[in-house]
Amino acid sequence: SLLAESKRIAGYRAADLVEDGTVIGLGTGSTVFFAMERLAERIASGLSIVGVPTSYQAAIRAREYGIPLTTLDEFPQLALAIDGADQVDPGLSLIKGRGAAHLREKCVADAAEEVVIVVDSTKTVDTLSAPVPIEVLPFACGLAFRRLTEMGGVPVLREGVKKDGPVVTDNGNFIIDCNFGAIPDPASLEQQIAAVPGLLECGLFTTFAEKMRVVVGEGRECRIV
Ligand code: DER
């Protein structure tokens, strides 16, 4: 499909930015999947890299592709992180977290000297507006609902699809998807959410623009913004 082609071209382009002998962050989701596919090809041709996975999904897929893995403890400074996004605005602020992996993804993005985001063109928007995924300590879920509502949000606890009850993250927490409508100032919303105890990390990524490149795939073309 055109969408798969767009994701593939973006993922492959990002994988070609990876330098030999480096330690990189491996994001979560279907677009990064294509970057891993290309990294597997490059490893087969002699590329030597190690990856820090941001989720069980990323670790399982990396192993399937023969990408050697390590931990953030071993390498708290990464050359580059490759990750996906759900929305990207012109200021390179992101909404992430569709895959409920954004807490570890934000740690890896912070550790990386450069962040390469891979998206298809449906993800680029003028203003962020998707519901914001927020990882929440189960103990504080009720408080979180109260505080997010007071902030003008509409919080919804993310329910499992092939699991009864709430989604439980790789860190043992819940996810709240909170709809704020259009988000013209994502940086201040990210800070407001971070100030609420029990809200462990939200899917607004607004502090990495200086070290970020976004690879946008569109059919057989891709551009870097
Ligand atoms: O959950 C995440 O943060 C993923 O990176 C998500 O934002 C993008 O996943 P996709 O590449 O499958 O759309």
Side-chain angles (χ1 to χ4, degrees):
S1 77
L2 190 62
L3 183 63
E5 189 54 39
S6 302
K7 291 184 175 195
R8 175 187 301 278
I9 193 119
Y12 274 50
R13 183 75 182 78
D16 286 343
L17 297 172
V18 173
E19 291 184 12
D20 190 40
T22 59
V23 183
I24 65 171
L26 297 171
T28 300
S30 63
T31 313
V32 173
F33 180 73
F34 289 109
M36 288 194 197
E37 191 174 76
R38 174 63 181 146
L39 285 172
E41 282 177 8
R42 292 190 59 198
I43 287 168
S45 311
L47 179 77
S48 165
I49 58 164
V50 183
V52 174
T54 54
S55 63
Y56 290 126
Q57 183 210 53
I60 291 164
R61 285 192 172 159
R63 286 194 194 100
E64 284 168 357
Y65 275 122
I67 301 172
L69 297 180
T70 185
T71 66
L72 200 53
D73 278 346
E74 290 281 314
F75 294 96
Q77 178 152 351
L78 306 172
L80 179 141
I82 301 179
D83 206 343
D86 302 317
Q87 285 188 330
V88 185
D89 80 3
L92 304 192
S93 288
L94 315 175
I95 290 186
K96 285 174 57 53
R98 177 203 54 74
H102 61 278
L103 192 158
R104 295 190 186 200
E105 288 174 334
K106 199 178 275 188
C107 298
V108 163
D110 186 58
E113 287 158 39
E114 186 181 3
V115 177
V116 178
I117 298 294
V118 288
V119 293
D120 61 84
S121 57
T122 66
K123 309 285 189 67
T124 58
V125 296
D126 288 336
T127 306
L128 301 180
S129 59
V132 179
I134 306 170
E135 182 145 346
V136 59
L137 188 70
F139 168 81
C141 209
L143 173 62
F145 265 70
R146 178 183 149 203
R147 290 286 185 232
L148 290 167
T149 305
E150 287 167 354
M151 286 164 61
V154 179
V156 174
L157 184 63
R158 189 179 296 185
E159 295 289 326
V161 175
K162 293 183 179 175
K163 171 192 177 291
D164 289 348
V167 164
V168 178
T169 69
D170 294 357
N171 314 304
N173 300 304
F174 292 165
I175 294 284
I176 288 174
D177 291 297
C178 196
N179 196 335
F180 292 97
I183 307 171
D185 185 355
S188 68
L189 183 56
E190 180 179 10
Q191 288 152 23
Q192 268 186 280
I193 292 170
V196 178
L199 294 184
L200 305 174
E201 200 53 74
C202 81
L204 290 168
F205 284 44
T206 69
T207 60
F208 304 118
E210 296 305 307
K211 62 180 186 178
M212 184 184 287
R213 280 190 278 179
V214 178
V215 184
V216 183
E218 193 153 22
R220 294 185 186 287
E221 306 292 319
C222 89
R223 56 193 165 89
I224 297 189
V225 297

Coordinates of all heavy atoms in Angstrom, one line a residue, residues 7 27-32 83-87 95-102 105 118 120 123 205, ligand 1:
K7 N 6.0 4.6 4.8 CA 6.7 4.2 6.0 C 8.0 3.6 5.8 O 9.1 3.9 6.4 CB 5.8 3.3 6.9 CG 4.6 4.0 7.4 CD 3.8 3.0 8.3 CE 2.6 3.6 9.0 NZ 2.1 2.8 10.1
G27 N 13.2 2.9 18.6 CA 11.9 3.3 19.0 C 10.9 2.2 18.8 O 11.3 1.1 18.4
T28 N 9.6 2.5 19.1 CA 8.6 1.5 19.0 C 7.6 1.9 17.9 O 7.4 3.1 17.7 CB 7.9 1.4 20.4 OG1 8.8 1.0 21.4 CG2 6.7 0.5 20.4
G29 N 7.0 0.9 17.3 CA 5.9 1.2 16.3 C 6.2 0.6 15.0 O 7.3 0.1 14.7
S30 N 5.3 0.8 14.0 CA 5.3 0.1 12.7 C 6.3 0.8 11.8 O 6.8 0.2 10.9 CB 3.9 0.1 12.1 OG 3.5 1.4 11.9
T31 N 6.6 2.1 12.0 CA 7.4 2.8 11.0 C 8.9 2.5 11.3 O 9.7 2.2 10.4 CB 7.2 4.3 11.0 OG1 5.8 4.6 10.9 CG2 7.9 5.0 9.8
V32 N 9.2 2.5 12.6 CA 10.6 2.1 13.0 C 10.9 0.7 12.6 O 12.0 0.3 12.3 CB 10.7 2.3 14.6 CG1 12.1 1.7 15.0 CG2 10.6 3.7 14.9
D83 N 12.8 7.0 16.0 CA 11.5 6.7 16.6 C 10.4 7.2 15.7 O 10.7 8.0 14.7 CB 11.5 7.4 18.0 CG 10.5 6.7 18.9 OD1 9.6 6.0 18.4 OD2 10.5 7.0 20.1
G84 N 9.2 6.8 16.0 CA 8.1 7.3 15.2 C 7.3 8.4 15.9 O 7.8 8.9 17.0
A85 N 6.2 8.8 15.4 CA 5.4 9.8 16.0 C 3.9 9.7 15.5 O 3.7 9.1 14.5 CB 5.9 11.2 15.8
D86 N 3.0 10.2 16.2 CA 1.6 10.2 15.8 C 1.2 11.5 15.1 O 0.5 11.5 14.2 CB 0.7 10.0 17.0 CG 1.0 8.7 17.7 OD1 1.3 7.7 17.0 OD2 1.2 8.7 18.9
Q87 N 1.8 12.6 15.6 CA 1.6 13.9 14.9 C 2.9 14.7 15.1 O 3.6 14.6 16.1 CB 0.5 14.8 15.6 CG -0.9 14.3 15.2 CD -2.0 15.2 15.6 OE1 -1.9 15.9 16.6 NE2 -3.1 15.2 14.9
I95 N 3.4 14.5 19.1 CA 2.5 13.7 20.0 C 3.0 12.3 19.7 O 3.0 11.9 18.5 CB 1.0 13.9 19.7 CG1 0.6 15.3 20.2 CG2 0.3 12.8 20.5 CD1 -0.9 15.5 20.2
K96 N 3.3 11.6 20.7 CA 3.7 10.1 20.6 C 2.9 9.4 21.6 O 2.2 9.9 22.5 CB 5.2 10.0 20.9 CG 6.1 10.4 19.7 CD 7.5 10.4 20.1 CE 8.0 9.0 20.5 NZ 7.6 8.0 19.5
G97 N 3.0 8.0 21.6 CA 2.3 7.2 22.6 C 1.2 6.4 22.1 O 0.6 5.7 23.0
R98 N 0.9 6.3 20.8 CA -0.1 5.4 20.3 C 0.2 4.0 20.8 O -0.6 3.2 21.1 CB -0.2 5.5 18.8 CG -1.2 4.5 18.2 CD -0.9 4.2 16.8 NE 0.5 3.7 16.6 CZ 0.9 2.5 17.0 NH1 0.1 1.6 17.5 NH2 2.2 2.1 16.8
G99 N 1.6 3.7 20.8 CA 2.0 2.4 21.2 C 2.3 2.2 22.7 O 2.8 1.2 23.1
A100 N 1.9 3.2 23.5 CA 2.1 3.2 24.9 C 3.5 3.0 25.4 O 3.8 2.4 26.4 CB 1.2 2.1 25.5
A101 N 4.5 3.4 24.6 CA 5.9 3.2 24.8 C 6.6 4.6 25.1 O 7.8 4.6 25.3 CB 6.6 2.5 23.7
H102 N 5.9 5.6 25.2 CA 6.5 7.0 25.2 C 7.4 7.3 26.4 O 8.2 8.2 26.3 CB 5.4 8.1 25.0 CG 4.4 8.1 26.0 ND1 3.3 7.3 26.1 CD2 4.3 8.9 27.1 CE1 2.6 7.5 27.1 NE2 3.2 8.5 27.8
E105 N 10.7 5.9 25.5 CA 11.1 6.6 24.3 C 11.6 8.0 24.6 O 12.6 8.5 24.1 CB 9.9 6.7 23.3 CG 9.6 5.4 22.7 CD 8.3 5.4 21.8 OE1 7.5 6.3 22.1 OE2 8.2 4.6 20.9
V118 N 10.6 9.2 12.2 CA 10.2 8.7 10.9 C 8.7 8.6 10.9 O 8.0 8.0 11.8 CB 10.8 7.3 10.6 CG1 12.3 7.4 10.3 CG2 10.6 6.3 11.8
D120 N 5.0 8.9 8.1 CA 4.4 9.1 6.7 C 3.7 10.5 6.8 O 3.5 11.1 7.8 CB 3.4 8.0 6.4 CG 2.3 8.0 7.4 OD1 1.3 8.8 7.2 OD2 2.4 7.3 8.4
K123 N 1.1 12.2 9.1 CA 1.3 12.6 10.5 C 1.7 14.1 10.7 O 1.7 14.6 11.8 CB 2.5 11.8 11.1 CG 2.4 10.3 10.9 CD 1.5 9.6 11.8 CE 1.5 8.1 11.8 NZ 2.8 7.6 12.4
F205 N 6.3 15.7 23.0 CA 7.8 15.8 23.0 C 8.0 17.2 22.4 O 7.9 17.3 21.2 CB 8.3 14.7 22.1 CG 8.4 13.3 22.7 CD1 7.3 12.8 23.4 CD2 9.5 12.5 22.5 CE1 7.4 11.5 23.9 CE2 9.6 11.2 23.0 CZ 8.5 10.7 23.7
Ligands
DER1 O1 3.9 4.9 20.4 C1 4.8 5.5 19.9 O2 5.3 6.5 20.4 C2 5.1 5.2 18.4 O3 6.3 5.8 18.1 C3 4.0 5.8 17.6 O4 3.9 7.2 18.0 C4 4.2 5.7 16.1 O5 3.9 4.4 15.7 P1 3.7 4.1 14.2 O6 5.0 4.3 13.5 O7 3.2 2.6 14.2 O8 2.6 5.0 13.7

